[in-house]
Amino acid sequence: VARTLLAVGSMWPSLLLGIPAGLVDGSWRQAVNLVVSLWGELGTALAGIDLRVTGEEHLWEQRPAVFIFNHQSGIDMLLLCKMLRRDIVGIAKQEARRNPIFGPVMAIAGTVFIDRFNHARAVEALKPALDALREGYSLVIAPEGTRSPTPRVGRFKKGAFHMAMAAGVPIVPIVFRNTLDALPKHGFVVRPAVVEATVLPPIPTSAWTVDMLDAQIARI
């Protein structure tokens, strides 16, 4: 419980240090980058998460990109902050905005919130995310749309792939293992654990067409 409180609470010193430091440079994006990287480092250390990354060079090989990951645990967001560090825009379900702890911080960081149960609104909400891609920022999205209670990957939704194709940027898959050991779905207490992350090589989308999309998603 103490580890969990410290890991979540480390968000606030990250904000207090990151935002003023970034604003001294006159850059709100730099402030957000500092908060993201600080919280990733502090939070994982305090939670007792030993994150071991294979293929880390693929995180930086081609940016901007659309980073996709298998979403199993509430700890995923913290791990992604530690790995991706800067110039990222997250995409999250609308319900996350109402979270009293993470919701305001996610909004400050420029997270795009979508309504999973209203297709028209979801498509409309993704327009700022596509604009961010075109401005040079990377997107982070769980293509399953929700957390899986088991290690088995669920069916992918198409939004991430449509945006990558429209912006002509690559898809970069991140595969997490053992995150359920650290924090299972619907769990509240983080347990110390070794989490493995494998970053796969960027997958070009510039030659994709709409007719090819289903086959490409199935392959990924």
Side-chain angles (χ1 to χ4, degrees):
V1 171
R3 284 182 181 274
T4 303
L5 293 173
L6 288 169
V8 173
S10 65
M11 180 185 296
W12 303 112
S14 300
L15 284 166
L16 292 173
L17 290 169
I19 289 178
L23 294 180
V24 166
D25 290 338
S27 169
W28 179 250
R29 173 46 59 176
Q30 178 64 11
V32 171
N33 288 344
L34 285 167
V35 172
V36 166
S37 59
L38 282 170
W39 187 51
E41 294 292 344
L42 283 173
T44 51
L46 292 168
I49 304 299
D50 180 4
L51 177 62
R52 302 178 183 180
V53 183
T54 302
E56 188 170 3
E57 67 275 11
H58 300 315
L59 295 173
W60 310 102
E61 193 171 325
Q62 294 185 45
R63 289 206 180 191
V66 174
F67 292 95
I68 61 172
F69 64 100
N70 57 319
H71 191 18
Q72 298 177 352
S73 171
I75 206 75
D76 293 347
M77 180 168 62
L78 183 58
L79 301 176
L80 290 163
C81 286
K82 180 177 174 66
M83 292 172 64
L84 299 175
R85 307 188 70 84
R86 64 175 185 266
D87 297 332
I88 55 174
V89 173
I91 297 178
K93 59 187 179 183
Q94 184 67 35
E95 298 93 306
R97 188 195 291 267
R98 297 193 290 270
N99 185 295
I101 298 173
F102 296 116
V105 178
M106 292 170 73
I108 288 171
T111 300
V112 175
F113 296 98
I114 59 172
D115 186 345
R116 297 177 297 166
F117 305 108
N118 187 313
H119 179 72
R121 287 184 182 176
V123 171
E124 184 69 22
L126 288 175
K127 288 181 179 178
L130 186 55
D131 290 341
L133 266 181
R134 290 170 172 158
E135 291 169 8
Y137 299 106
S138 295
L139 298 184
V140 187
I141 184 170
E144 297 161 283
T146 188
R147 282 177 289 177
S148 171
T150 73
R152 185 178 179 86
V153 177
R155 184 180 179 87
F156 285 178
K157 300 180 184 297
K158 296 182 180 179
F161 306 95
H162 273 295
M163 288 188 291
M165 187 172 65
V169 302
I171 295 279
V172 181
I174 297 173
V175 184
F176 285 124
R177 299 186 182 93
N178 308 330
T179 53
L180 289 172
D181 292 346
L183 185 65
K185 185 173 182 177
H186 304 310
F188 294 101
V189 178
V190 179
R191 295 173 175 83
V194 175
V195 174
E196 299 175 356
T198 299
V199 187
L200 303 181
I203 301 168
T205 65
S206 55
W208 287 9
T209 64
V210 173
D211 293 339
M212 299 166 56
L213 201 56
D214 286 340
Q216 295 290 354
I217 292 172
R219 181 173 67 87
I220 293 170

